[in-house]
Amino acid sequence: MLLCSIFTLNAQQKFPQEYFENPLNVPIVLAGSFGELRSNHFHSGLDIKTEQREGLEVKASAAGYISRINIQHYGYGKALYIQHANGYTTVYGHLQKLAPKFEEYLKQKQYAKESYEIELFPKPGELAVEQGELIAYSGNTGGSGGPHLHFEIRDGSQRPMNAQLFGFDIADTRKPLIEGLFAYSLDEDAHVNNSQERLRLPLIPLQDGSYTTREVQACGDIGFGINTVDQQNMAPNRNGVYKMQASVNGDTIFEVTFDKFSFAETRRLNQLIDYEYYQTNNNRIQKLFKNQNNPLSIYGDLKNEGKLNIQDSLDYQYTIKVTDFKGNETLVRIPIKGSFSENINKKVGNETPYLAKSTQSFSANANGIDVYIPAGALYDDTFLELTFDPTSFVVHKDEVPLQSNMTIGFDVTEYAPEDREKFFIARLSQYGRPNYSTTYKKGNRFSTATRTFGTYKLVADITPPKVSPVNFYDGKWISENETLKLKITDDLSGIESFRATVNGKFILMEYEYKNATLTHDFSDGVVTDTENDLKVIVTDNVGNSTTYTAKFFRK
Ligand SMILES: [Zn+2]
């Protein structure tokens, strides 16, 4: 009996099941799942739908105290963290505003610091909360693509956990979708269906919801990858799956499970996916094998790193099983015949004079431009394409991911000091649009640290930001207004900072980059005069600044 119960313990039961409750008053429907594949990171929480609107009550998932308040323009926007007695932390992101007593606490600190962006660590006992207590209202602040609540549970080491392990009720009777299957040849002599290139294998659907393929002819070390997403009930959102497994002739050789990860490893998502395919097709293939230099902790016990070693004239049955959190599963069975072929479509290597090894640092320079890539930044040894053209410095292409920053430098000796002031280093988008890359200016060398290969150049921004009123104009009476709104934009280097005063007194303005607006809430109670001189100074990333002034009246 005892043995039996030990062996039936599943992952869920290791975690408290009744401790945390739904932080919203609406049933949990997911717009995003834990571990879901995002740009350069795994999603660290559950994105809970909020009826396509803002302002839903957000409650403390369990008793504890507010241990951190982080208000940012980007990222989680307005976020609250609650520390619980059992060692876990819950996180609530993209909030519209905090509950009144916490909002008051926050505003006091923001006014004291004279900054909208702020990070606070209240002491234990300072801001205690009961389970179910109103803590905030849901919103769409920061890097949010629409109103929702980002909800996270972190362990004692601040590692994000799959919140579903804690027993939330989320209806899901739908199987994961498998939308693409790919084969990879993984050593010099390997081949699949007479090719060494990435090969798409058509899926053949079967009556029972599983898939198969035509028999694959292969030889050598090969591996597979899939496009897969999961949908829950009551929502069309294409979320992440929970588990992917692969077996050969019944022996499991590969497993990935999204239970938890650490923020330090989240960028290594780019090693789980076929990054080049993603950059060129905007669709993520998850590899069911592991390349070298990949310490991601989401893998289970792998055999031969999940690769198959196919011997001539032997038969194999390779099976992929994809499972969602509720245990719904989809299978793909791939019959493989070992078959050596001499007539194969060879993979075309792209040799250049610049071989950068993943375990060594790399540097090169010419024509007053330089690049330095530290050891470990590249996952694989790579022949880099470098074109040292000062008007557009090509540093390989964004089909190869970087784990850590490389440094790019430009010698600006030939430019006059007044011209240099307006320069910044830009990365050109695929359409040639310059994007500001944080530029350090030291003597005659301007540099930037970046984790994205691509084309870089010096760009001059001579145009100061634009500032325009949204819900008032100069000289107007606005006694009925609850807010003061302005639009601020910058055409090239982007907004670096802003500061607003009324009659010389700092006023707090919330910056929402998605609609380029600054908003002051009159309920802050700092605008008390009838006649008011507004002054807003907005500065871009090279230091061009615009001072906007207007008079308004209130009673
Ligand atoms: Zn989220």
Side-chain angles (χ1 to χ4, degrees):
M1 280 293 278
L2 185 65
L3 271 181
C4 217
S5 64
I6 287 168
F7 282 109
T8 54
L9 269 182
N10 61 27
Q12 281 93 309
Q13 289 164 330
K14 283 191 282 183
F15 303 99
Q17 297 298 293
E18 303 283 316
Y19 193 90
F20 297 106
E21 64 178 30
N22 179 356
L24 295 175
N25 291 320
V26 298
I28 299 181
V29 180
L30 296 185
S33 60
F34 180 82
E36 186 170 306
L37 313 176
R38 299 279 175 92
S39 177
N40 297 317
H41 68 283
F42 294 104
H43 187 234
S44 53
L46 301 179
D47 280 349
I48 308 178
K49 289 166 94 78
T50 53
E51 305 180 327
Q52 282 94 45
R53 61 195 175 97
E54 300 185 28
L56 268 58
E57 291 190 349
V58 178
K59 306 170 302 172
S61 181
Y65 68 93
I66 295 176
S67 55
R68 183 179 173 199
I69 302 171
N70 198 11
I71 310 295
Q72 299 174 290
H73 299 147
Y74 306 101
Y76 289 8
K78 296 185 188 179
L80 273 187
Y81 296 68
I82 299 177
Q83 180 63 49
H84 304 284
N86 64 352
Y88 291 98
T89 307
T90 49
V91 184
Y92 311 79
H94 309 307
L95 302 169
Q96 180 190 53
K97 59 180 184 223
L98 310 189
K101 71 176 178 191
F102 306 127
E103 185 76 10
E104 195 183 325
Y105 175 94
L106 167 64
K107 289 234 164 149
Q108 207 175 22
K109 307 281 187 189
Q110 286 175 313
Y111 273 96
K113 194 191 168 200
E114 300 198 343
S115 169
Y116 171 69
E117 287 196 306
I118 197 164
E119 186 174 20
L120 303 168
F121 298 94
K123 303 252 173 338
E126 209 177 342
L127 300 176
V129 293
E130 294 302 321
Q131 183 169 47
E133 182 177 341
L134 175 71
I135 51 168
Y137 296 90
S138 69
N140 187 27
T141 53
S144 165
H148 72 274
L149 175 69
H150 174 93
F151 176 66
E152 253 175 56
I153 299 181
R154 296 186 184 175
D155 71 7
S157 308
Q158 290 298 307
R159 267 183 306 226
M161 309 286 301
N162 190 334
Q164 290 195 257
L165 293 166
F166 297 82
F168 291 96
D169 184 23
I170 302 169
D172 185 5
T173 54
R174 301 165 75 176
K175 293 168 182 234
L177 302 173
I178 297 181
E179 300 180 327
L181 171 67
F182 298 81
Y184 293 85
S185 300
L186 300 174
D187 70 41
E188 266 175 40
D189 305 312
H191 51 82
V192 178
N193 292 352
N194 293 322
S195 174
Q196 291 195 319
E197 301 288 345
R198 172 201 307 115
L199 202 67
R200 187 176 196 120
L201 302 173
L203 288 163
I204 302 166
L206 300 177
Q207 288 275 267
D208 63 358
S210 70
Y211 295 90
T212 188
T213 65
R214 293 180 58 178
E215 187 177 72
V216 171
Q217 315 279 320
C219 202
D221 273 353
I222 67 165
F224 292 88
I226 50 172
N227 304 125
T228 182
V229 294
D230 186 48
Q231 292 181 298
Q232 280 93 42
N233 300 4
M234 300 186 295
N237 299 72
R238 294 160 56 80
N239 300 334
V241 302
Y242 177 56
K243 202 185 271 276
M244 297 181 290
Q245 288 162 299
S247 61
V248 180
N249 301 336
D251 292 335
T252 301
I253 61 163
F254 179 88
E255 185 175 290
V256 157
T257 309
F258 293 104
D259 279 335
K260 68 172 177 209
F261 59 84
S262 71
F263 286 108
E265 64 179 337
T266 192
R267 191 178 175 86
R268 292 184 182 272
L269 159 100
N270 291 335
Q271 288 180 285
L272 173 71
I273 65 168
D274 180 337
Y275 188 81
E276 182 202 9
Y277 184 85
Y278 172 59
Q279 287 298 116
T280 48
N281 295 274
N282 197 28
N283 191 0
R284 294 182 178 95
I285 301 171
Q286 306 189 53
K287 293 184 285 190
L288 305 177
F289 57 90
K290 203 167 105 170
N291 299 87
Q292 58 170 4
N293 306 322
N294 180 350
L296 264 174
S297 64
I298 55 173
Y299 295 106
D301 287 334
L302 308 189
K303 292 211 177 101
N304 192 29
E305 309 291 82
K307 298 168 190 169
L308 296 81
N309 182 258
I310 304 296
Q311 308 282 331
D312 189 35
S313 75
L314 292 183
D315 290 326
Y316 304 82
Q317 167 93 336
Y318 180 74
T319 306
I320 300 167
K321 182 161 92 175
V322 180
T323 315
D324 65 23
F325 197 85
K326 286 290 166 98
N328 304 298
E329 59 181 46
T330 303
L331 296 173
V332 188
R333 293 187 189 83
I334 304 159
I336 302 169
K337 176 142 210 94
S339 162
F340 179 75
S341 166
E342 286 190 350
N343 185 20
I344 59 171
N345 177 14
K346 278 267 179 197
K347 190 175 273 173
V348 278
N350 214 358
E351 292 198 12
T352 74
Y354 305 105
L355 174 60
K357 298 212 164 160
S358 62
T359 54
Q360 291 168 19
S361 66
F362 171 88
S363 61
N365 66 85
N367 305 332
I369 3 182
D370 58 80
V371 57
Y372 171 78
I373 303 172
L378 281 163
Y379 302 126
D380 301 302
D381 297 351
T382 306
F383 282 106
L384 299 176
E385 280 176 36
L386 300 175
T387 309
F388 291 92
D389 173 356
T391 62
S392 83
F393 177 26
V394 178
V395 194
H396 207 59
K397 50 191 174 226
D398 190 16
E399 290 172 9
V400 172
L402 285 164
Q403 174 65 18
S404 52
N405 282 331
M406 61 177 169
T407 310
I408 292 171
F410 286 83
D411 183 342
V412 295
T413 310
E414 64 176 289
Y415 299 102
E418 59 271 26
D419 292 336
R420 290 182 198 177
E421 264 179 34
K422 304 292 178 191
F423 281 154
F424 65 96
I425 299 176
R427 187 174 71 82
L428 301 186
S429 75
Q430 58 172 324
Y431 308 108
R433 205 199 125 73
N435 293 310
Y436 178 76
S437 190
T438 305
T439 306
Y440 304 95
K441 302 184 171 184
K442 200 174 177 193
N444 290 331
R445 183 170 174 271
F446 289 4
S447 66
T448 190
T450 170
R451 295 195 281 194
T452 311
F453 281 130
T455 303
Y456 288 82
K457 69 188 280 194
L458 286 173
V459 173
D461 181 359
I462 53 167
T463 318
K466 286 195 175 66
V467 182
S468 54
V470 171
N471 63 351
F472 68 100
Y473 53 80
D474 190 21
K476 196 173 190 241
W477 276 87
I478 51 168
S479 303
E480 302 301 311
N481 281 27
E482 288 175 5
T483 61
L484 190 68
K485 267 187 202 297
L486 298 125
K487 199 159 205 101
I488 62 171
T489 55
D490 188 68
D491 64 337
L492 268 180
S493 63
I495 308 280
E496 196 270 327
S497 63
F498 58 86
R499 182 182 163 81
T501 57
V502 166
N503 297 336
K505 240 183 347 187
F506 169 83
I507 61 164
L508 184 65
M509 297 207 91
E510 177 168 342
Y511 176 52
E512 182 48 70
Y513 77 92
K514 296 193 289 290
N515 52 20
T517 55
L518 287 179
T519 306
H520 172 70
D521 192 335
F522 284 121
S523 70
D524 288 359
V526 291
V527 178
T528 49
D529 297 336
T530 302
E531 185 180 337
N532 297 287
D533 286 311
L534 170 70
K535 184 170 166 185
V536 183
I537 302 170
V538 184
T539 307
D540 69 18
N541 277 302
V542 300
N544 297 306
S545 93
T546 298
T547 302
Y548 170 86
T549 58
K551 206 181 260 304
F552 65 87
F553 300 89
R554 272 174 77 82
K555 218 182 20 209

